[in-house]
């Protein structure tokens, strides 16, 4: 669709959510799934629980650093195709949706694989383990079609071109591969202390990345790089991690 000439079509009866609500629902389910997975050990396993939560925080801050790189790429490319009428000069050359969901889908698989042994072994009682596993499976099963539909609409509702989607998917996938290879030992460490130091370093790098984006961003024509919507999303992310 040409978003400058026509609004997005009405949602289908199969998933009757508007585009923004669909995206936000998928993200909320993903965070609920990650939170339950991180908090799955019993109360006595404080170290294990902190380590799992730190892994989630590590991945989230790593992605925030990736997102500043995405914004910098947008600024440098200057591609304004597929914009809506409200801000036709906003750099749109890399799909943030595809970058985000490709990174998250791959990270969910990794985190699920590394957390699964904790759910299958004592001291998690079976009466608790069975409904927890069922709930986690239901959340995962709900997340996948919502994420897939969000990505489907991102293209077919005209938010991004195929070229922009390819760049976003490549950036998200490469970021995950970099995290899972260079930082795998930190991500999978049994204790939370090494992850805390890595999270602080990543946060400092993210702050530096934000400054680089601000220097390159065409604010005069495109408005600020980071608006209220992005700030709300980041605040929500860090609130969940806290």
């Amino acid at each position: 669709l040409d978003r400058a000439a026509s609004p997005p079509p009405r949602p289908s009866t199969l998933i009757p959510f508007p585009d923004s609500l669909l995206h936000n629902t998928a993200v909320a389910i993903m965070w609920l799934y990650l939170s339950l997975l991180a908090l799955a050990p019993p109360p006595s396993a404080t170290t294990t629980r902190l380590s799992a939560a730190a892994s989630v925080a590590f991945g989230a801050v790593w992605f925030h650093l990736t997102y500043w790189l995405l914004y910098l790429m947008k600024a440098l490319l200057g591609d304004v195709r597929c914009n809506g009428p409200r801000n036709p000069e906003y750099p749109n050359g890399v799909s943030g949706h595809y970058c985000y969901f490709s990174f998250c889908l791959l990270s969910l698989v990794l985190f699920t694989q590394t957390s699964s042994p904790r759910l299958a072994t004592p001291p998690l009682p079976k009466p608790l383990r069975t409904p927890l596993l069922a709930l986690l499976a239901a959340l995962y099963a709900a997340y996948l079609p919502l994420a897939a539909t969000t990505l489907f609409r991102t293209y077919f509702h005209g938010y991004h071109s195929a070229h922009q989607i390819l760049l976003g998917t490549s950036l998200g996938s490469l970021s995950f591969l970099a995290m899972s290879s260079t930082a795998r030992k930190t991500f999978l460490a049994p204790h939370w202390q090494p992850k805390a130091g890595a999270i602080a370093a990543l946060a400092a790098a993210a702050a530096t990345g934000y400054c680089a984006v601000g220097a390159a961003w065409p604010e005069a024509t495109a408005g600020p790089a980071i608006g209220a919507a992005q700030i709300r999303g980041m605040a929500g992310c860090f609130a969940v991690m806290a």
Side-chain angles (χ1 to χ4, degrees), residues 38-67:
L39 298 176
S44 60
T46 305
T47 302
T48 305
R49 179 174 291 175
L50 285 173
S51 179
S55 291
V56 175
F58 180 86
V61 178
W62 181 285
F63 180 77
H64 275 289
L65 180 58
T66 303
Y67 213 68

Side-chain angles (χ1 to χ4, degrees), residues 133-170:
L133 290 175
L135 178 57
L136 287 170
L139 289 172
Y140 201 89
Y143 172 74
L144 291 178
L146 291 177
T149 305
T150 295
L151 297 179
F152 175 87
R153 291 185 184 179
T154 296
Y155 178 70
F156 285 98
H157 288 189
Y159 293 100
H160 284 290
S161 68
H163 179 260
Q164 295 166 350
I165 285 171
L166 178 61
L167 289 178
T169 305
S170 299

Side-chain angles (χ1 to χ4, degrees), residues 113-130:
Q113 287 177 340
T114 57
S115 300
S116 294
R118 291 188 287 107
L119 304 180
T121 57
L124 192 64
K126 187 174 181 180
L128 177 62
R129 184 167 64 246
T130 301

Side-chain angles (χ1 to χ4, degrees), residues 31 64 68 226-242:
W31 274 107
H64 275 289
W68 299 144
I226 306 302
Q230 290 89 349
I231 291 174
R232 285 195 302 269
M234 293 171 203
C237 169
F238 284 103
V240 170
M241 288 193 295

